[in-house]
């Protein structure tokens, strides 16, 4: 499902380009440089099988297209293929790659073609997997109908639309054309495969339209004949673009057309052979830490035992503040809180293992995973960054991870803030352990998406969310902003049934006993009417209180006086 599994030899990195945007990429192997570009709206993850074929003989770089995966989008209302080619040149400059072999699939093939046309001296060979030569009618029709805006709706209907959209593009091409002529000769993917494709789309959000549309605006019949470097045009007979070969004018000898049957493996093996005939630059520099971005957080990875943790970082002076998300969440959910510290304190926000974009390094046994488990992985991440002291802000149950971290390594955590502390009697904790996290299952009809949507939305309306009775109503102004709920749903779908382990660790934690043994100053943050705070303060007089609201951007201002004490 959506959980990121650590690969033993493929590493993930970020590079900061021009000091203002980041590109996420996968890297593996040693030898001549090969760059792989994916189709829309996916990410470099789709090229893992090809990376595995190549990494024994090449240094393989597979970036996420700007606006796809984890890469920042390009500015402007509608960048064109040439803009993505120039952006690729900037990325390769930042990575120290002057000349490479290039492989691109569909949208990636468009960028690869334009890059090879504009920068022929930087390309040893270009392989285009699925060429695009649209007629003017096809182009106008796609521009008018293909790129539906994508925005969260209060009722979750944007998710059911997306599920149908992902199904439909495997049934018809174009997806909105319901006719026998548009019918595709494919098996409908399993619900799990559709779910993973849906997640790739969700990583892009509405930005999916920019690179996708650039591919439809591209005129392959003009750019492909202009190529002067070695070029191999490939496609499977099952590819919707296979017939575009027949739309090409006559080509020079440096451009070869290669048609395949339905075997993807055959095409990839041939691509490996071609890349071996035209080696790119050898001796690619090793990856450096990504440069900072002024005024906001930037993305990076921290090494831990068995994999990598994704994180956001921000610049400032003094002791770093670690802002930690709660169960079944990720650093996007607490990003606004983290960005409030930018310029005031250095700030870090990890995706805990099995959440967000981090590798799951802790297994799937929900009974064996505790807050101490998360504390140990956090300790490893901080050690890999060379940090020996932090202030810790944990939301909901992640505050308990901070408390365990403080006990695990004395001196590592100086101040602990627990926002919206979980503080419940034993009977309620047992009830929550049994009922709060039902098993998630995909289905052919996408109904599970509405279950995820309403579960996350009801967290802001009822306590517990499954107690939809008068007694369960949360008596405060509802916080059900669609963008916020959407972030929570995307986070949930990434961690999937690991949410049982994440929430379970929090419900099992003995907050009533452990808060009284805290070895460092602890503040409880939240709105004035948060019941857990009042109960905890009554039981533990040494705890401090800080009032915060729903606006996470204001949390830093409210908390700094405590953190600076």
């Amino acid at each position: 499902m959506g959980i990121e599994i650590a690969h033993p030899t493929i590493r993930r990195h970020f590079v900061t380009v021009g000091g203002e945007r980041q590109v996420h990429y996968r890297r593996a192997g040693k030898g001549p440089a090969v760059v792989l570009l994916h189709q829309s709206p996916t990410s470099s993850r789709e090229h893992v099988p090809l990376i595995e074929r190549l990494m024994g003989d090449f240094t393989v770089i597979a970036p996420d297209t700007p606006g796809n995966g984890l890469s920042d989008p390009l500015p402007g209302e509608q960048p064109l293929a040439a803009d993505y080619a120039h952006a690729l040149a900037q990325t390769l400059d930042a990575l120290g790659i002057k000349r490479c072999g290039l492989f691109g699939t569909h949208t990636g093939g468009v960028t690869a073609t334009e890059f090879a046309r504009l920068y022929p001296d930087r390309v040893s060979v270009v392989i285009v997997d699925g060429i695009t030569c649209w007629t003017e009618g096809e182009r106008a029709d796609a521009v008018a109908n293909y790129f539906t805006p994508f925005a969260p709706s209060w009722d979750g209907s944007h998710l059911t639309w997306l599920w149908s959209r992902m199904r439909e593009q495997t049934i018809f091409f174009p997806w909105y054309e319901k006719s026998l002529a548009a019918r595709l000769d494919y098996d409908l993917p399993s619900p799990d495969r559709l779910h993973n494709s849906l997640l790739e789309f969700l990583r892009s959000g509405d930005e999916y339209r920019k690179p996708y549309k650039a591919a439809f605006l591209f005129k392959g019949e003009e750019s492909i004949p202009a190529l002067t470097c070695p070029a191999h045009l490939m496609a499977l007979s099952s590819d919707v673009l296979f017939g575009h070969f027949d739309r090409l004018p006559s080509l020079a000898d440096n451009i070869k057309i290669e048609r395949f049957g339905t075997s993807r493996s055959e095409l990839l093996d041939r691509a490996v052979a071609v890349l071996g005939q035209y080696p790119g630059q050898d001796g690619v520099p090793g990856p450096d830490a990504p440069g900072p971005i002024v005024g906001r957080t930037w993305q990076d990875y921290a090494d831990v035992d068995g994999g990598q943790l994704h994180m956001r970082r921000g610049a400032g002076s003094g002791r770093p503040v670690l802002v930690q998300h709660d169960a079944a969440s990720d650093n996007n959910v607490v990003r606004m809180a983290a960005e409030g510290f930018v310029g005031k304190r250095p700030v870090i926000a990890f995706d805990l293992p099995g959440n967000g974009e981090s590798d799951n390094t802790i297994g799937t046994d929900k009974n064996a995973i505790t807050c101490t488990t998360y504390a140990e992985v956090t300790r490893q991440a901080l050690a890999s960054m060379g940090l020996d002291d932090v202030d810790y802000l944990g939301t909901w149950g992640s505050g308990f991870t901070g408390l365990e971290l403080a006990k695990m390594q004395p001196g590592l955590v100086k101040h602990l803030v627990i926002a919206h502390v979980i503080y419940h009697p034993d009977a309620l904790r047992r009830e929550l352990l049994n009922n709060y996290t039902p098993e998630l299952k995909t289905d052919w009809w996408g109904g599970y998406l509405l279950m995820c949507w309403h579960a996350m939305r009801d967290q802001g309306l009822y306590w517990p969310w499954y107690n939809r009775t008068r007694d369960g109503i949360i008596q405060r102004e509802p916080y059900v902003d669609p963008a916020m709920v959407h972030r929570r749903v995307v986070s949930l779908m990434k961690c999937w049934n690991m949410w049982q382990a994440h929430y379970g660790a929090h419900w099992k934690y003995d907050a009533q006993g452990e808060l009284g043994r805290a070895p460092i100053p602890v503040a409880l943050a939240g709105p004035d009417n948060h019941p857990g705070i009042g109960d905890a303060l009554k039981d533990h007089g040494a705890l401090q209180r800080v009032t915060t609201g729903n606006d996470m951007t204001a949390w830093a201002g409210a908390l700094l006086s405590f953190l600076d004490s």
Side-chain angles (χ1 to χ4, degrees), residues 16 54 64 95-96 122 180 197 216 223 240 253 278 299 333 352 409 470 472 497 552 562:
T16 301
L54 291 165
D64 292 351
L95 294 174
R122 302 191 66 169
L180 181 60
S197 296
F216 279 86
S223 292
V240 295
D253 291 342
Y278 302 93
Q299 300 180 85
V333 173
L352 289 174
Q409 183 172 328
R470 294 175 64 189
N497 280 314
M552 285 189 174
F562 168 73

Side-chain angles (χ1 to χ4, degrees), residues 26 54 59 72 94 130 177 232 348 393 399 420 432 440 472 529 534 549 554:
R26 286 171 163 82
L54 291 165
T59 299
D72 293 335
E177 180 62 43
H232 286 249
I348 306 158
L393 164 57
H420 301 89
L432 294 168
L440 303 176
N529 60 349

Side-chain angles (χ1 to χ4, degrees), residues 350-400:
F350 293 122
D351 285 349
L352 289 174
N355 287 270
E357 303 296 339
S358 287
D359 295 328
N360 179 21
T361 63
I362 59 175
T364 58
D365 184 352
K366 62 183 180 182
N367 296 316
I369 295 170
T370 67
C371 291
T372 304
T373 308
Y374 299 120
E376 170 56 24
V377 179
T378 304
R379 185 198 63 77
Q380 295 170 14
L382 293 173
S384 75
M385 298 170 66
L387 296 175
D388 54 16
D389 66 344
V390 296
D391 289 329
Y392 189 108
L393 164 57
T395 58
W396 300 93
S398 68
F400 303 151

Side-chain angles (χ1 to χ4, degrees), residues 48 127 133 187 222 431:
V48 167
I127 300 174
C133 298
D187 294 338
E222 296 178 4
E431 177 194 324

Side-chain angles (χ1 to χ4, degrees), residues 96-157:
I97 298 175
K98 301 183 185 302
R99 193 166 184 266
C100 64
L102 197 54
F103 177 97
T105 298
H106 285 214
T107 305
V110 167
T111 300
T113 300
E114 274 299 88
F115 183 84
R117 183 180 71 85
L118 295 169
Y119 301 92
D121 294 340
R122 302 191 66 169
V123 180
S124 58
V125 64
V126 59
I127 300 174
V128 183
D129 171 23
I131 65 162
T132 56
C133 298
W134 307 109
T135 67
E136 288 303 320
E138 289 170 340
R139 184 175 292 111
D141 185 60
V143 168
N145 298 294
Y146 209 95
F147 310 104
T148 305
F150 185 74
S153 174
W154 73 270
D155 58 0
S157 56

Side-chain angles (χ1 to χ4, degrees), residues 204-227:
S204 300
D206 196 47
E207 289 291 337
Y208 90 94
R209 293 187 292 159
K210 287 182 182 178
Y212 220 165
K213 186 181 289 188
F216 279 86
L217 294 173
F218 176 70
K219 296 184 177 181
E221 67 279 8
E222 296 178 4
S223 292
I224 289 172
L227 295 175

Side-chain angles (χ1 to χ4, degrees), residues 174-246:
W175 65 269
Y176 52 83
E177 180 62 43
K178 311 302 191 289
S179 68
L180 181 60
R183 191 69 190 263
L184 296 172
D185 189 20
Y186 297 158
D187 294 338
L188 189 66
S190 69
D192 285 355
R193 283 186 60 193
L194 283 170
H195 174 83
N196 287 333
S197 296
L198 179 141
L199 265 180
E200 290 283 53
F201 190 108
L202 290 174
R203 288 183 172 93
S204 300
D206 196 47
E207 289 291 337
Y208 90 94
R209 293 187 292 159
K210 287 182 182 178
Y212 220 165
K213 186 181 289 188
F216 279 86
L217 294 173
F218 176 70
K219 296 184 177 181
E221 67 279 8
E222 296 178 4
S223 292
I224 289 172
L227 295 175
T228 57
C229 67
H232 286 249
L233 313 179
M234 301 181 179
L236 299 177
S237 61
S238 55
D239 192 330
V240 295
L241 302 179
F242 187 79
H244 287 214
F245 282 140
D246 298 331

